[in-house]
Amino acid sequence: MTFVIIPGLDGSDEHHWQSLWEHDWLTPAIRIQPSSWTTPDLTDWSAAITRAAESTPDTIIFITHSLGCHALSHWLTQSPPPPHIRGAFLVAPPDPQSPTFPADRLPTFTSLPAAPLPIPSLLITSTNDPYCTPTTATHLAQAWSTPHIPLPNHGHINTPSNLATWPTGQFLLTAFLAGLNLDVDAAKLSLQASNHTTPDRE
């Protein structure tokens, strides 16, 4: 099983839970490599997802954050995904219609239709995300036909949210994988959680 990491705008820095999972927990894990993290182009990001998906015959689980959720949802609904694509763990997608969305930097992401996803997925959002209201998060979950877990007061579920390895997210991903009859190293998960000293919320 290979985990494909899809960050959002500007990528995920070294303190972001995606980076910590990639380097310390999820093995093997690969990150998509678009031409630009700072001026994303949807076609370029879609091509980067394709390259990552074609780089391994292993079962693939996508781990997405923020803009990465929209990039993946678009990619998944353009053509039937290969059978080794088994699931998507979607975290904190922004609302492209929100005043907080940097549309000037992301013109190719502003008008994406939300359609049912063709693979099992789980959407995790935060009740006080400045980029997505709870109402919009609910509508996205319905449009994507995905189960939805709103977490209280996690901000944008990013580095400023001060989550470190984000143990809650680790347990949610482990449960999601169990539902797909997949597994991760439970011992390593327990070790990561026990070493976590930062409150798992803002």
Side-chain angles (χ1 to χ4, degrees):
M1 180 165 53
T2 295
F3 297 91
V4 174
I5 310 294
I6 308 180
L9 178 65
D10 294 327
S12 294
D13 64 32
E14 61 182 340
H15 303 293
H16 195 289
W17 59 267
Q18 275 189 320
S19 298
L20 297 175
W21 286 14
E22 178 183 357
H23 297 298
D24 300 330
W25 185 47
L26 301 178
T27 304
I30 57 176
R31 181 177 298 217
I32 69 163
Q33 298 296 327
S35 298
S36 176
W37 291 111
T38 58
T39 55
D41 174 76
L42 181 59
T43 299
D44 175 57
W45 279 40
S46 295
I49 295 172
T50 297
R51 289 194 297 272
E54 292 178 346
S55 70
T56 176
D58 294 347
T59 292
I60 285 179
I61 300 294
F62 290 106
I63 310 292
T64 72
H65 178 257
S66 194
L67 194 70
C69 300
H70 291 295
L72 179 63
S73 67
H74 172 77
W75 184 83
L76 286 172
T77 54
Q78 294 309 291
S79 60
H84 70 298
I85 306 294
R86 291 288 305 278
F89 189 76
L90 310 163
V91 180
D95 176 5
Q97 305 306 313
S98 170
T100 60
F101 189 79
D104 57 329
R105 295 177 62 188
L106 307 170
T108 58
F109 286 85
T110 56
S111 302
L112 294 180
L117 301 181
I119 61 173
S121 58
L122 178 64
L123 175 62
I124 311 297
T125 63
S126 167
T127 58
N128 67 339
D129 189 335
Y131 300 103
C132 187
T133 67
T135 298
T136 298
T138 298
H139 289 163
L140 265 179
Q142 293 171 344
W144 285 341
S145 296
T146 183
H148 175 210
I149 299 177
L151 300 177
N153 302 323
H154 275 57
H156 192 46
I157 316 183
N158 57 357
T159 299
S161 298
N162 206 27
L163 302 174
T165 56
W166 192 29
T168 296
Q170 290 180 312
F171 283 109
L172 290 171
L173 176 59
T174 302
F176 175 62
L177 296 176
L180 300 177
N181 293 318
L182 301 172
D183 192 16
V184 293
D185 188 338
K188 184 177 288 189
L189 172 61
S190 298
L191 177 62
Q192 291 290 329
S194 66
N195 287 339
H196 177 73
T197 57
T198 305
D200 195 3
R201 59 180 177 80
E202 282 202 317

